[in-house]
Amino acid sequence: MWPGTAVRWRRHAGRWRRAVCAALVTGAVVLPLSGAAQPRIPAPLPAEPPAPTALTLAETYAAHRANAAEASRMAADHGDRHRAAADRAMADPSRHLLAFDGRGAGLATEVLGDLARADRVAVLVPGSDTGLDTYGRFRAAAVALHRQLVARAPAGTRTAVVAWLGYETPGTISTTVATTGRAERAAPKLRALVADLRRITGPGTRLTLLCHSYGSVVCARAADGLDVSDIALLGSPGTGADTAAGLRSGARIWAARGDDDWVEHVPHLSTGLFGTTVGFGTDPVSPEFGARVFDAGDGGHSDYFDPGSRSLTNLARITLGETTEVTHD
């Protein structure tokens, strides 16, 4: 290639990248503006019990259930029956809440299983459009995984699943979903959760992060030196890192994408645009990224935790440390 041709090609490629990223932003802002005008649902300030330990988990759970019950009453008085019902479900005596905040879209951290005695703990990190109003589908994924773990765990191995809706997720159609801003704000909170889990469970418990869609960007931002054994990136648009090694994590890095997942068609680019970084770079299931790519079956973007799926089976194997049994494409 002649030197002048190479220069022109690089300029063309740069313009093309900027055009694509601009299109991503443009497409993200066209539709969601009506949502910004929705009225705020009143809710109490979150409960602030002492930092939980294995001995105080019951008190922690009770404090957050009480807060969810009050949020339900306030939402009902406001006339929002849907949110009132969602909050009321969180306040059920059977629910184990490590955190709850009914304000805005809402935040919650829920435990399935006996966290204080668990040997293997999976933390689910959700992607876009997850809040209290849509929490049911996120919880269903956690329930499916917990059932799979209980069914598969060797005798004497105790498991727990933590459904972490601990950050304000972006809308699927929004300016925020194509940038790292929400993930950067969420990462310290995820790191704090891992510290809490270590305090509750002790150093011998195996912690695994299962990060879906935009949640994989959150996990990538939190990964540096994080005390977990495995990080799985599911239906990831990219992490912002060029390679798995770029996450600077001692954990095994896994990646998977279902055959029918639309995220395959998202351009894997990253560039500065309008004062922020747009796009997330290298495809995590590509050889260039260097993750351990496993079989997610033929499901779509929301199917990674479907009961009976190859994806769920492999996620349970990763969580249990049965890494040699994980199947690959």
Side-chain angles (χ1 to χ4, degrees):
M1 181 180 292
W2 295 103
T5 303
V7 170
R8 287 195 296 274
W9 184 89
R10 286 194 295 270
R11 288 174 179 171
H12 175 74
R15 286 196 297 269
W16 181 80
R17 280 198 302 270
R18 289 191 292 273
V20 169
C21 289
L24 287 172
V25 172
T26 301
V29 300
V30 168
L31 297 177
L33 298 181
S34 60
Q38 292 179 351
R40 287 278 180 174
I41 301 168
L45 292 173
E48 295 185 357
T53 67
L55 298 177
T56 64
L57 273 178
E59 290 85 351
T60 298
Y61 295 158
H64 293 301
R65 285 196 302 264
N67 189 266
E70 178 60 20
S72 178
R73 288 189 289 271
M74 293 176 70
D77 290 343
H78 185 67
D80 194 318
R81 290 182 294 178
H82 182 74
R83 174 59 68 83
D87 291 341
R88 187 165 57 250
M90 302 293 280
D92 187 272
S94 65
R95 307 293 279 269
H96 294 164
L97 303 180
L98 274 180
F100 178 83
D101 185 349
R103 299 172 299 174
L107 304 173
T109 303
E110 183 173 5
V111 176
L112 301 172
D114 186 352
L115 182 60
R117 300 171 64 230
D119 305 301
R120 303 287 187 267
V121 177
V123 179
L124 272 60
V125 181
S128 59
D129 288 326
T130 309
L132 291 181
D133 292 327
T134 59
Y135 183 78
R137 67 189 185 193
F138 178 48
R139 186 175 192 269
V143 169
L145 177 63
H146 186 240
R147 288 174 176 166
Q148 183 80 4
L149 291 173
V150 170
R152 186 175 180 86
T157 299
R158 295 163 294 202
T159 63
V161 173
V162 179
W164 184 71
L165 175 55
Y167 77 108
E168 185 181 1
T169 67
T172 298
I173 304 175
S174 69
T175 54
T176 52
V177 79
T179 64
T180 60
R182 294 282 177 94
E184 288 165 356
R185 292 193 292 274
K189 299 176 183 179
L190 181 55
R191 295 181 67 87
L193 171 73
V194 170
D196 284 345
L197 295 178
R198 279 290 173 219
R199 183 176 58 253
I200 294 166
T201 64
T205 297
R206 181 191 191 94
L207 301 182
T208 299
L209 298 185
L210 307 181
C211 318
H212 179 241
S213 194
Y214 190 87
S216 66
V217 187
V218 176
C219 290
R221 287 295 184 275
D224 188 357
L226 195 63
D227 187 11
V228 298
S229 58
D230 295 85
I231 300 174
L233 312 173
L234 311 170
S236 175
T239 65
D242 293 331
T243 64
L247 299 179
R248 297 188 296 277
S249 172
R252 284 181 287 261
I253 307 299
W254 304 81
R257 185 169 62 222
D259 292 342
D260 198 34
D261 190 337
W262 55 260
V263 84
E264 177 182 3
H265 306 293
V266 172
H268 289 283
L269 305 169
S270 180
T271 191
L273 192 68
F274 306 141
T276 189
T277 301
V278 179
F280 307 113
T282 309
D283 185 349
V285 300
S286 68
E288 294 78 15
F289 190 75
R292 301 175 182 221
V293 178
F294 65 93
D295 184 7
D298 57 3
H301 193 63
S302 301
D303 301 334
Y304 290 95
F305 295 90
D306 280 3
S309 66
R310 278 178 277 172
S311 174
L312 182 63
T313 298
N314 278 328
L315 291 171
R317 288 166 174 161
I318 291 169
T319 300
L320 293 171
E322 300 172 350
T323 56
T324 59
E325 297 186 43
V326 175
T327 59
H328 304 270
D329 288 328

mmCIF file of all heavy atoms in Angstrom, residues 216 233 236-244 257 266-270 279-291:
data_model
loop_
_atom_site.group_PDB
_atom_site.id
_atom_site.type_symbol
_atom_site.label_atom_id
_atom_site.label_comp_id
_atom_site.label_asym_id
_atom_site.label_seq_id
_atom_site.Cartn_x
_atom_site.Cartn_y
_atom_site.Cartn_z
ATOM 1 N N SER A 216 -22.000 -6.047 31.824
ATOM 2 C CA SER A 216 -20.614 -6.452 31.581
ATOM 3 C C SER A 216 -19.678 -5.254 31.559
ATOM 4 O O SER A 216 -18.494 -5.374 31.902
ATOM 5 C CB SER A 216 -20.509 -7.238 30.270
ATOM 6 O OG SER A 216 -20.811 -6.426 29.151
ATOM 7 N N LEU A 233 -19.102 -12.730 31.044
ATOM 8 C CA LEU A 233 -19.694 -11.639 30.270
ATOM 9 C C LEU A 233 -20.708 -12.241 29.305
ATOM 10 O O LEU A 233 -20.344 -13.012 28.413
ATOM 11 C CB LEU A 233 -18.601 -10.897 29.505
ATOM 12 C CG LEU A 233 -17.351 -10.495 30.319
ATOM 13 C CD1 LEU A 233 -16.280 -9.932 29.405
ATOM 14 C CD2 LEU A 233 -17.720 -9.502 31.414
ATOM 15 N N SER A 236 -22.474 -9.412 25.779
ATOM 16 C CA SER A 236 -21.779 -8.149 26.045
ATOM 17 C C SER A 236 -21.569 -7.323 24.782
ATOM 18 O O SER A 236 -21.124 -7.853 23.762
ATOM 19 C CB SER A 236 -20.417 -8.435 26.685
ATOM 20 O OG SER A 236 -19.669 -7.237 26.839
ATOM 21 N N PRO A 237 -21.837 -6.010 24.851
ATOM 22 C CA PRO A 237 -21.527 -5.138 23.722
ATOM 23 C C PRO A 237 -20.052 -4.766 23.655
ATOM 24 O O PRO A 237 -19.619 -4.068 22.736
ATOM 25 C CB PRO A 237 -22.371 -3.898 24.025
ATOM 26 C CG PRO A 237 -22.410 -3.840 25.521
ATOM 27 C CD PRO A 237 -22.477 -5.288 25.962
ATOM 28 N N GLY A 238 -19.281 -5.241 24.634
ATOM 29 C CA GLY A 238 -17.880 -4.850 24.803
ATOM 30 C C GLY A 238 -17.691 -4.380 26.227
ATOM 31 O O GLY A 238 -18.649 -4.145 26.964
ATOM 32 N N THR A 239 -16.457 -4.232 26.625
ATOM 33 C CA THR A 239 -16.159 -3.873 28.011
ATOM 34 C C THR A 239 -15.436 -2.542 28.150
ATOM 35 O O THR A 239 -15.273 -2.045 29.254
ATOM 36 C CB THR A 239 -15.273 -4.955 28.652
ATOM 37 O OG1 THR A 239 -14.010 -4.974 27.968
ATOM 38 C CG2 THR A 239 -15.936 -6.321 28.593
ATOM 39 N N GLY A 240 -14.986 -1.994 27.032
ATOM 40 C CA GLY A 240 -14.111 -0.830 27.077
ATOM 41 C C GLY A 240 -12.645 -1.202 27.104
ATOM 42 O O GLY A 240 -11.777 -0.344 26.931
ATOM 43 N N ALA A 241 -12.348 -2.487 27.310
ATOM 44 C CA ALA A 241 -10.966 -2.979 27.281
ATOM 45 C C ALA A 241 -10.713 -3.686 25.961
ATOM 46 O O ALA A 241 -11.613 -4.314 25.397
ATOM 47 C CB ALA A 241 -10.716 -3.928 28.448
ATOM 48 N N ASP A 242 -9.484 -3.622 25.483
ATOM 49 C CA ASP A 242 -9.134 -4.288 24.228
ATOM 50 C C ASP A 242 -9.029 -5.794 24.391
ATOM 51 O O ASP A 242 -9.293 -6.549 23.449
ATOM 52 C CB ASP A 242 -7.808 -3.747 23.690
ATOM 53 C CG ASP A 242 -7.915 -2.294 23.250
ATOM 54 O OD1 ASP A 242 -9.012 -1.879 22.848
ATOM 55 O OD2 ASP A 242 -6.889 -1.581 23.324
ATOM 56 N N THR A 243 -8.624 -6.233 25.579
ATOM 57 C CA THR A 243 -8.401 -7.655 25.830
ATOM 58 C C THR A 243 -8.869 -8.000 27.242
ATOM 59 O O THR A 243 -9.040 -7.126 28.099
ATOM 60 C CB THR A 243 -6.918 -8.023 25.714
ATOM 61 O OG1 THR A 243 -6.187 -7.329 26.749
ATOM 62 C CG2 THR A 243 -6.357 -7.654 24.352
ATOM 63 N N ALA A 244 -9.025 -9.298 27.498
ATOM 64 C CA ALA A 244 -9.355 -9.751 28.843
ATOM 65 C C ALA A 244 -8.255 -9.364 29.828
ATOM 66 O O ALA A 244 -8.534 -8.984 30.968
ATOM 67 C CB ALA A 244 -9.573 -11.263 28.841
ATOM 68 N N ARG A 257 -22.190 -15.656 23.906
ATOM 69 C CA ARG A 257 -23.274 -14.966 23.208
ATOM 70 C C ARG A 257 -24.160 -16.006 22.535
ATOM 71 O O ARG A 257 -23.676 -16.896 21.825
ATOM 72 C CB ARG A 257 -22.724 -13.998 22.161
ATOM 73 C CG ARG A 257 -23.817 -13.164 21.495
ATOM 74 C CD ARG A 257 -23.231 -12.026 20.672
ATOM 75 N NE ARG A 257 -22.405 -12.512 19.601
ATOM 76 C CZ ARG A 257 -21.230 -11.980 19.257
ATOM 77 N NH1 ARG A 257 -20.747 -10.948 19.916
ATOM 78 N NH2 ARG A 257 -20.544 -12.468 18.250
ATOM 79 N N VAL A 266 -24.087 -5.195 17.026
ATOM 80 C CA VAL A 266 -23.648 -3.897 17.535
ATOM 81 C C VAL A 266 -22.201 -3.660 17.102
ATOM 82 O O VAL A 266 -21.340 -4.529 17.305
ATOM 83 C CB VAL A 266 -23.750 -3.847 19.070
ATOM 84 C CG1 VAL A 266 -23.121 -2.581 19.629
ATOM 85 C CG2 VAL A 266 -25.216 -3.955 19.506
ATOM 86 N N PRO A 267 -21.889 -2.516 16.487
ATOM 87 C CA PRO A 267 -20.499 -2.253 16.082
ATOM 88 C C PRO A 267 -19.572 -2.223 17.294
ATOM 89 O O PRO A 267 -19.855 -1.549 18.285
ATOM 90 C CB PRO A 267 -20.576 -0.868 15.420
ATOM 91 C CG PRO A 267 -22.002 -0.700 15.029
ATOM 92 C CD PRO A 267 -22.800 -1.421 16.077
ATOM 93 N N HIS A 268 -18.498 -2.963 17.239
ATOM 94 C CA HIS A 268 -17.565 -3.035 18.361
ATOM 95 C C HIS A 268 -16.478 -1.978 18.176
ATOM 96 O O HIS A 268 -15.339 -2.268 17.803
ATOM 97 C CB HIS A 268 -17.001 -4.445 18.479
ATOM 98 C CG HIS A 268 -18.016 -5.421 18.953
ATOM 99 N ND1 HIS A 268 -18.407 -5.515 20.266
ATOM 100 C CD2 HIS A 268 -18.774 -6.324 18.275
ATOM 101 C CE1 HIS A 268 -19.339 -6.437 20.391
ATOM 102 N NE2 HIS A 268 -19.576 -6.943 19.194
ATOM 103 N N LEU A 269 -16.881 -0.760 18.454
ATOM 104 C CA LEU A 269 -16.018 0.405 18.295
ATOM 105 C C LEU A 269 -15.978 1.176 19.601
ATOM 106 O O LEU A 269 -16.836 1.029 20.474
ATOM 107 C CB LEU A 269 -16.561 1.316 17.197
ATOM 108 C CG LEU A 269 -16.783 0.667 15.820
ATOM 109 C CD1 LEU A 269 -17.570 1.606 14.931
ATOM 110 C CD2 LEU A 269 -15.443 0.309 15.199
ATOM 111 N N SER A 270 -14.986 2.025 19.740
ATOM 112 C CA SER A 270 -14.905 2.919 20.883
ATOM 113 C C SER A 270 -14.178 4.176 20.443
ATOM 114 O O SER A 270 -13.076 4.095 19.892
ATOM 115 C CB SER A 270 -14.154 2.248 22.035
ATOM 116 O OG SER A 270 -14.081 3.110 23.158
ATOM 117 N N GLY A 279 -19.314 3.709 22.698
ATOM 118 C CA GLY A 279 -18.966 2.362 22.271
ATOM 119 C C GLY A 279 -18.012 1.694 23.242
ATOM 120 O O GLY A 279 -17.398 2.351 24.092
ATOM 121 N N PHE A 280 -17.864 0.363 23.112
ATOM 122 C CA PHE A 280 -17.153 -0.403 24.127
ATOM 123 C C PHE A 280 -16.044 -1.280 23.564
ATOM 124 O O PHE A 280 -15.507 -2.132 24.263
ATOM 125 C CB PHE A 280 -18.159 -1.261 24.908
ATOM 126 C CG PHE A 280 -19.295 -0.446 25.462
ATOM 127 C CD1 PHE A 280 -20.587 -0.614 24.978
ATOM 128 C CD2 PHE A 280 -19.081 0.505 26.439
ATOM 129 C CE1 PHE A 280 -21.636 0.136 25.470
ATOM 130 C CE2 PHE A 280 -20.119 1.272 26.946
ATOM 131 C CZ PHE A 280 -21.401 1.083 26.450
ATOM 132 N N GLY A 281 -15.692 -1.105 22.303
ATOM 133 C CA GLY A 281 -14.495 -1.748 21.787
ATOM 134 C C GLY A 281 -14.646 -3.229 21.477
ATOM 135 O O GLY A 281 -15.707 -3.701 21.071
ATOM 136 N N THR A 282 -13.573 -3.977 21.680
ATOM 137 C CA THR A 282 -13.419 -5.350 21.209
ATOM 138 C C THR A 282 -14.560 -6.260 21.661
ATOM 139 O O THR A 282 -14.978 -6.232 22.815
ATOM 140 C CB THR A 282 -12.091 -5.927 21.714
ATOM 141 O OG1 THR A 282 -11.034 -5.023 21.413
ATOM 142 C CG2 THR A 282 -11.797 -7.276 21.061
ATOM 143 N N ASP A 283 -15.027 -7.082 20.743
ATOM 144 C CA ASP A 283 -16.057 -8.076 21.033
ATOM 145 C C ASP A 283 -15.498 -9.113 22.012
ATOM 146 O O ASP A 283 -14.508 -9.778 21.719
ATOM 147 C CB ASP A 283 -16.464 -8.750 19.719
ATOM 148 C CG ASP A 283 -17.621 -9.715 19.876
ATOM 149 O OD1 ASP A 283 -17.986 -10.020 21.028
ATOM 150 O OD2 ASP A 283 -18.156 -10.155 18.846
ATOM 151 N N PRO A 284 -16.120 -9.284 23.184
ATOM 152 C CA PRO A 284 -15.569 -10.224 24.173
ATOM 153 C C PRO A 284 -15.553 -11.687 23.736
ATOM 154 O O PRO A 284 -14.813 -12.488 24.321
ATOM 155 C CB PRO A 284 -16.492 -10.038 25.384
ATOM 156 C CG PRO A 284 -16.994 -8.647 25.257
ATOM 157 C CD PRO A 284 -17.189 -8.455 23.773
ATOM 158 N N VAL A 285 -16.348 -12.073 22.720
ATOM 159 C CA VAL A 285 -16.283 -13.468 22.267
ATOM 160 C C VAL A 285 -15.311 -13.649 21.101
ATOM 161 O O VAL A 285 -15.170 -14.755 20.580
ATOM 162 C CB VAL A 285 -17.681 -14.007 21.882
ATOM 163 C CG1 VAL A 285 -18.628 -13.947 23.063
ATOM 164 C CG2 VAL A 285 -18.252 -13.274 20.677
ATOM 165 N N SER A 286 -14.627 -12.591 20.708
ATOM 166 C CA SER A 286 -13.666 -12.694 19.611
ATOM 167 C C SER A 286 -12.348 -13.267 20.119
ATOM 168 O O SER A 286 -11.985 -13.090 21.285
ATOM 169 C CB SER A 286 -13.420 -11.316 18.994
ATOM 170 O OG SER A 286 -12.729 -10.480 19.912
ATOM 171 N N PRO A 287 -11.597 -13.943 19.256
ATOM 172 C CA PRO A 287 -10.286 -14.461 19.669
ATOM 173 C C PRO A 287 -9.350 -13.355 20.142
ATOM 174 O O PRO A 287 -8.518 -13.579 21.024
ATOM 175 C CB PRO A 287 -9.762 -15.135 18.400
ATOM 176 C CG PRO A 287 -10.982 -15.464 17.596
ATOM 177 C CD PRO A 287 -11.957 -14.351 17.879
ATOM 178 N N GLU A 288 -9.500 -12.158 19.565
ATOM 179 C CA GLU A 288 -8.610 -11.054 19.932
ATOM 180 C C GLU A 288 -8.761 -10.656 21.404
ATOM 181 O O GLU A 288 -7.811 -10.213 22.034
ATOM 182 C CB GLU A 288 -8.889 -9.835 19.046
ATOM 183 C CG GLU A 288 -8.562 -10.014 17.580
ATOM 184 C CD GLU A 288 -9.606 -10.807 16.824
ATOM 185 O OE1 GLU A 288 -10.722 -10.982 17.363
ATOM 186 O OE2 GLU A 288 -9.307 -11.261 15.693
ATOM 187 N N PHE A 289 -9.971 -10.807 21.932
ATOM 188 C CA PHE A 289 -10.198 -10.402 23.324
ATOM 189 C C PHE A 289 -9.529 -11.370 24.292
ATOM 190 O O PHE A 289 -8.968 -10.960 25.308
ATOM 191 C CB PHE A 289 -11.690 -10.315 23.610
ATOM 192 C CG PHE A 289 -12.002 -9.690 24.936
ATOM 193 C CD1 PHE A 289 -11.875 -8.320 25.118
ATOM 194 C CD2 PHE A 289 -12.420 -10.470 26.012
ATOM 195 C CE1 PHE A 289 -12.149 -7.739 26.352
ATOM 196 C CE2 PHE A 289 -12.702 -9.901 27.241
ATOM 197 C CZ PHE A 289 -12.571 -8.531 27.408
ATOM 198 N N GLY A 290 -9.600 -12.658 23.998
ATOM 199 C CA GLY A 290 -8.868 -13.624 24.807
ATOM 200 C C GLY A 290 -9.607 -14.174 26.005
ATOM 201 O O GLY A 290 -8.977 -14.735 26.918
ATOM 202 N N ALA A 291 -10.931 -14.058 26.042
ATOM 203 C CA ALA A 291 -11.705 -14.670 27.117
ATOM 204 C C ALA A 291 -11.895 -16.156 26.856
ATOM 205 O O ALA A 291 -11.627 -16.654 25.756
ATOM 206 C CB ALA A 291 -13.063 -13.982 27.240
#
